[in-house]
């Protein structure tokens, strides 16, 4: 039985992680519910604290009292659009809170088995090299991407400089139950799911040929747990399937699964949208992580969950 802290644990990925770990671990979740929902944790027994991770005093006390073995750091403002609109506020969450936590762990010499920071494929930007390796050039194009990149470097550097047990991951396009579909910048498959369910039209930006590397949230938490519990070096891992699928193909697969024809409205490509995305997952394979969910199975499971 380990003691686990999940910051942002009421959100989409954090709550899925909490569900997976709750059986054999003592879980504490900190979430200010700015994006997450308490209902995401309603059916499990976790120590839930509604609080902002930017309150450093509060976090220090929590770290002192919690005696955590593992910290999964998912608290973030995950909206890129929001980071463009309010860069300073999002910076405080997406970078400052991370540095403060790392610094406190170092100064207080807190004993910890792993600190795992969650970054994003956004760090790769729009460079043409393909597929994206962890060692590929980065091009953080938004405040969100800049903060995610800086925080992952801090995480890794605290491992290298001070021997803290740290690791970072870069999520590609994660989908599955509990993903919030309510913003135009929500994950596309949560929006498609909502449109199918509510028989509402779906707006596709561009011709649908843009590709993404989709990964089911269950596979994501499996990878995170394996990385947190079984790896030793402070480094970064892509978390993706390693397949690129055109958006229109995913939509057609989903239509077949649900038996519902989506009413598609076409609009021009969104500004800043990337054309292709695919991860090189050889580093993940080297540690024995192989996703179990095909797109077909993941979408079926997602639909059945609703
Ligand atoms: C993702 C991240 C984004 C990050 C980017 C960088 C999410 C939700 N977004 O964006 O924060 O900056 O990676 O790698 O994880 N689409 C539609 N209709 C919609 C919504 C989306 O056609 O209603 C299209 C988009 O224009 C895009 C594709 O679907 O071409 C995927 O969109 P999205 O799920 O937002 O992911 P990314 O664009 O990969």
């Amino acid at each position: 039985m380990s003691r686990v802290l999940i910051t942002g644990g009421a959100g989409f990925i954090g709550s899925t992680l909490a569900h997976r770990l709750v059986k054999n671990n003592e879980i504490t979740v900190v979430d200010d519910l700015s994006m997450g929902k308490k209902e995401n944790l309603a059916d499990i027994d976790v120590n839930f604290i509604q609080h902002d991770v930017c309150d450093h005093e509060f976090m220090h006390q929590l770290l002192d009292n919690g005696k955590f073995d593992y910290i999964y750091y998912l608290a973030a403002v995950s909206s890129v659009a929001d980071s463009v609109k309010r860069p300073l506020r999002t910076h405080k969450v997406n970078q400052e809170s991370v540095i403060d936590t790392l610094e406190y762990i170092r100064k207080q010499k807190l004993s910890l088995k792993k600190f795992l920071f969650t970054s994003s494929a956004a760090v790769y930007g729009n460079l043409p090299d393909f597929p994206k390796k962890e060692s590929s050039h980065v091009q953080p194009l938004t405040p969100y991407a800049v903060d995610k990149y800086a925080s992952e470097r801090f995480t890794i550097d605290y491992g290298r400089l001070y021997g803290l047990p740290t690791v970072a991951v870069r999520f590609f396009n994660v989908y599955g139950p509990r993903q919030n579909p309510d913003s135009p910048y929500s994950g596309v498959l949560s929006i498609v799911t909502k449109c199918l369910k509510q028989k509402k039209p779906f707006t596709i930006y561009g011709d649908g040929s843009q590709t993404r590397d989709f990964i089911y949230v269950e596979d994501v938490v499996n990878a995170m747990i394996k990385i947190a519990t079984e790896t030793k070096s402070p480094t970064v891992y892509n978390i993706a399937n390693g397949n690129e699928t055109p958006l229109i193909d995913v939509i057609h697969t989903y239509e077949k699964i649900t038996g519902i024809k989506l009413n598609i409205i076409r609009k021009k490509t969104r500004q800043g949208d990337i054309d292709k995305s695919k991860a090189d997952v050889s580093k993940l394979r080297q540690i024995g992580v192989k996703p179990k969910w095909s797109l077909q199975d993941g979408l079926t499971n997602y639909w059945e969950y609703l």
Side-chain angles (χ1 to χ4, degrees):
M1 175 80 72
S2 295
R3 289 163 165 257
V4 178
L5 172 65
I6 307 175
T7 70
F12 161 46
I13 302 172
S15 65
T16 309
L17 179 67
H19 275 82
R20 175 64 58 80
L21 290 174
V22 74
K23 219 168 155 194
N24 301 313
N25 301 278
E26 200 179 301
I27 312 281
T28 298
V29 164
V30 180
D31 198 306
D32 67 356
L33 300 183
S34 56
M35 323 264 291
K37 292 190 184 132
K38 216 172 161 205
E39 302 92 89
N40 286 343
L41 301 167
D43 52 343
I44 53 172
D45 184 18
V46 300
N47 171 26
F48 173 74
I49 307 168
Q50 182 176 352
H51 212 97
D52 183 350
V53 291
C54 296
D55 179 345
H56 300 327
E57 286 307 311
F58 159 79
M59 285 300 287
H60 298 171
Q61 261 188 25
L62 179 69
L63 293 168
D64 279 339
N65 298 335
K67 311 223 169 346
F68 300 110
D69 299 300
Y70 294 95
I71 299 175
Y72 291 90
Y73 210 98
L74 291 108
V77 179
S78 60
S79 158
V80 173
D82 208 5
S83 84
V84 174
K85 245 190 252 151
R86 304 185 300 154
L88 201 56
R89 167 63 194 157
T90 57
H91 170 75
K92 283 188 194 310
V93 187
N94 293 350
Q95 191 184 149
E96 226 178 81
S97 74
V98 183
I99 301 174
D100 186 73
T101 302
L102 288 166
E103 184 60 0
Y104 193 72
I105 294 167
R106 175 184 81 82
K107 270 201 202 139
Q108 300 304 115
K109 300 191 171 55
L110 299 181
S111 108
L112 193 69
K113 289 189 177 138
K114 197 64 65 65
F115 176 94
L116 182 147
F117 176 72
T118 54
S119 179
S120 162
V123 303
Y124 292 115
N126 212 354
L127 293 169
D129 60 317
F130 199 64
K132 299 298 178 190
K133 269 176 114 69
E134 291 84 350
S135 56
S136 296
H137 286 298
V138 295
Q139 186 194 41
L141 295 169
T142 60
Y144 172 79
V146 169
D147 283 332
K148 281 291 182 187
Y149 185 62
S151 295
E152 89 179 38
R153 297 317 307 174
F154 267 99
T155 299
I156 290 164
D157 288 347
Y158 267 66
R160 293 196 178 138
L161 292 169
Y162 308 117
L164 254 56
T166 61
V167 74
V169 298
R170 291 176 182 160
F171 294 140
F172 279 67
N173 290 74
V174 185
Y175 71 98
R178 293 190 284 267
Q179 188 168 30
N180 186 344
D182 292 334
S183 134
Y185 293 93
S186 298
V188 66
L189 294 184
S190 71
I191 300 174
V192 173
T193 303
K194 184 177 163 185
C195 292
L196 284 167
K197 200 85 208 163
Q198 301 180 355
K199 308 234 163 33
K200 284 198 171 141
F202 169 74
T203 303
I204 195 161
Y205 300 107
D207 62 4
S209 67
Q210 64 266 49
T211 64
R212 292 294 183 273
D213 194 334
F214 292 102
I215 181 161
Y216 196 52
V217 67
E218 294 293 338
D219 279 328
V220 170
V221 304
N222 285 343
M224 286 167 76
I225 294 167
K226 183 131 180 148
I227 290 165
T229 55
E230 293 182 23
T231 66
K232 296 265 180 287
S233 340
T235 184
V236 62
Y237 291 89
N238 285 336
I239 296 194
N241 241 306
N243 302 322
E244 54 165 334
T245 314
L247 179 57
I248 197 70
D249 290 5
V250 186
I251 291 172
H252 288 151
T253 305
Y254 214 177
E255 286 180 324
K256 273 192 204 131
I257 290 168
T258 58
I260 302 169
K261 183 103 190 76
L262 197 59
N263 175 6
I264 295 178
I265 298 171
R266 293 182 182 274
K267 287 204 179 151
K268 65 176 193 323
T269 302
R270 260 194 327 210
Q271 199 195 355
D273 213 11
I274 55 170
D275 192 28
K276 284 152 86 74
S277 177
K278 180 183 172 177
D280 182 313
V281 287
S282 43
K283 200 166 164 183
L284 209 53
R285 294 285 185 278
Q286 272 164 25
I287 57 161
V289 174
K290 198 167 184 315
K292 294 194 184 99
W293 296 83
S294 64
L295 204 44
Q296 168 87 26
D297 292 347
L299 289 172
T300 306
N301 202 258
Y302 187 5
W303 188 251
E304 282 167 1
Y305 172 89
L306 299 169

